[in-house]
Amino acid sequence: VSTGATVNFNAAASSDPDGTIAKYEWDLDGNGTYETNTGTTATTSRSYASASSVTVGLRVTDNSNATATTTRSLTVQAPNQAPTASFTVSPNPATTGATVSFNAAASSDPDGTIAKYEWDLDGNGTYETNTGTTATTSRSYASASSVTVGLRVTDNSNGTATTTRALTVRGSYNASVLGTTGLIDYWRLGETSGTALADGIGAKTATAQGGVTLGTAGPLTTDPNTAAAFDGNNDAAKTTAINLSGTSQLTVEFWLRWTSFSNDNDFAMEFTRNANNNNGGFYIDPNASGTSNRFAVAIGRNASRNAVVFTRPTAGVWHHYAFVLDSTAPAASQIVPYVDGQPVSYAKAGSGTGAGSFANSTLNFMSRNAASRFGAGALDEIAIYNTKLSAATIAQHYAAR
């Protein structure tokens, strides 16, 4: 029995072969004296304040004044103290397909041992994985998600305790981008409501306007994170100011599903309110005017303008784009375009070499300053790096889709 709990004693099985039991007397504290007299009542009770072993005695007297005694051994122990559940998750964040290890060796029981470890590894609220007395387990996750992993421990007195840990599982593309040196801004565009589009790295929130459609299916096969769709009429988004004035090298990377190509200079992206009128800007123009079927990218303005054009990829499907920009490089290589992980052939549409560092300004998505040149299509996973990504890194990002 636990300390403080009521213990019931019942002597109803006592008997007298030639009469009746006239008196029940009890030694409830085990000191050898029968201090509790219940008369003809065969039951009594009491509790014990401290842990001990007590030899409880009973003396019965019959109606002829004959007596008999007996004893019982009672163990009084402190109440079971609950165990403590604790575990670690490694790695966290994890990448899809990678093994995640869970270790509950830090769990403990103050008055016994852990007899069982049970795990809720898929976050559905049930402890489907029982590892017995083994404190470790592992598993992998097929798709990107946020999982609340649970642990339940049971001690040798059947006491239990639970705890949870939040596990972030990143798609391999997401993990590749986050693991790349030089990343300064990253808009995943996975929001499903509202107008705020979070920058998970640089905190340069973009604001959507005009009814941008959120929750559009994105291009990544192992990541349910969604994309944003723009109608080409008045949908746009623009960031708070991004200070790029300390660098002359950038890589701009994103996924784009352009609805249909034309020659009307509708933009996918522009840095500064208008890169024609402001130093340190760039624009990305899938619908370049002039000769048909040109996709254009430019940095600088007026005499400093450096621009390339290349053949547009297929409309209506997702493509991965990366543009390596270096305003200090020779004119022929200030802009190097990549589509679907590979460098593409390009022609020069401007060979200025005086662009200098980039600006401290806003980045506009699918528009010029969220006021004109509205692009039609879906946009996803916009990443800005303050360095020139290598061809191998860009290819690796595309392969991680």
Side-chain angles (χ1 to χ4, degrees):
V1 64
S2 295
T3 55
T6 298
V7 186
N8 296 308
F9 305 93
N10 191 328
S14 302
S15 62
D16 182 41
D18 59 356
T20 59
I21 303 296
K23 184 169 58 176
Y24 296 87
E25 297 171 287
W26 306 86
D27 174 18
L28 298 179
D29 56 11
N31 69 350
T33 62
Y34 297 92
E35 70 283 346
T36 302
N37 184 340
T38 58
T40 58
T41 301
T43 59
T44 190
S45 64
R46 71 160 284 176
S47 63
Y48 296 84
S50 59
S52 60
S53 294
V54 184
T55 301
V56 178
L58 168 68
R59 181 171 66 193
V60 295
T61 304
D62 68 11
N63 58 330
S64 297
N65 213 35
T67 64
T69 61
T70 191
T71 60
R72 296 289 184 270
S73 295
L74 172 66
T75 299
V76 183
Q77 62 186 19
N80 180 51
Q81 297 183 59
T84 299
S86 179
F87 70 100
T88 60
V89 183
S90 180
N92 188 13
T95 304
T96 52
T99 298
V100 183
S101 298
F102 306 92
N103 189 328
S107 300
S108 61
D109 183 42
D111 58 355
T113 58
I114 303 296
K116 183 168 59 175
Y117 297 86
E118 297 171 286
W119 304 86
D120 174 20
L121 298 179
D122 56 12
N124 69 350
T126 64
Y127 298 92
E128 69 285 344
T129 303
N130 182 344
T131 58
T133 57
T134 300
T136 58
T137 190
S138 63
R139 70 160 286 176
S140 62
Y141 296 82
S143 61
S145 59
S146 295
V147 185
T148 301
V149 177
L151 167 68
R152 180 170 65 195
V153 295
T154 304
D155 67 15
N156 58 322
S157 296
N158 215 38
T160 63
T162 62
T163 191
T164 60
R165 298 287 184 272
L167 168 65
T168 299
V169 182
R170 292 172 174 161
S172 52
Y173 182 86
N174 180 214
S176 294
V177 170
L178 290 172
T180 300
T181 300
L183 180 67
I184 56 173
D185 297 286
Y186 186 20
W187 299 269
R188 299 210 68 200
L189 304 183
E191 291 79 6
T192 56
S193 63
T195 59
L197 308 176
D199 171 9
I201 299 299
K204 304 299 184 183
T205 302
T207 302
Q209 69 173 50
V212 174
T213 301
L214 303 178
T216 298
L220 306 180
T221 58
T222 62
D223 195 330
N225 193 71
T226 56
F230 300 76
D231 65 7
N233 296 317
N234 62 348
D235 290 358
K238 62 188 305 181
T239 71
T240 54
I242 304 172
N243 189 357
L244 301 179
S245 61
T247 183
S248 58
Q249 297 180 342
L250 292 177
T251 301
V252 183
E253 181 182 41
F254 56 93
W255 288 84
L256 176 67
R257 186 185 67 214
W258 199 255
T259 300
S260 62
F261 293 113
S262 60
N263 300 319
D264 56 7
N265 287 317
D266 287 343
F267 280 177
M269 209 171 296
E270 186 173 31
F271 185 58
T272 73
R273 295 168 58 88
N274 185 325
N276 293 323
N277 301 329
N278 296 276
N279 292 326
F282 64 79
Y283 67 70
I284 298 170
D285 179 5
N287 276 354
S289 60
T291 305
S292 64
N293 204 29
R294 300 198 316 171
F295 192 120
V297 180
I299 62 175
R301 59 185 285 261
N302 298 333
S304 71
R305 172 63 51 83
N306 191 288
V308 301
V309 292
F310 58 91
T311 302
R312 297 165 182 157
T314 309
V317 296
W318 285 103
H319 291 286
H320 176 260
Y321 295 89
F323 301 107
V324 179
L325 313 177
D326 183 356
S327 63
T328 64
S333 58
Q334 287 195 4
I335 303 171
V336 181
Y338 294 77
V339 178
D340 294 337
Q342 298 297 317
V344 295
S345 299
Y346 59 88
K348 296 301 295 184
S351 295
T353 58
S357 297
F358 290 96
N360 180 358
S361 189
T362 58
L363 179 62
N364 299 280
F365 304 157
M366 303 296 271
S367 70
R368 165 164 282 169
N369 198 35
S372 62
R373 297 194 176 183
F374 297 102
L379 192 61
D380 200 16
E381 303 288 327
I382 303 169
I384 307 293
Y385 307 84
N386 62 0
T387 188
K388 296 164 64 174
L389 296 191
S390 68
T393 298
I394 293 169
Q396 186 269 327
H397 285 190
Y398 175 69
R401 67 194 184 280

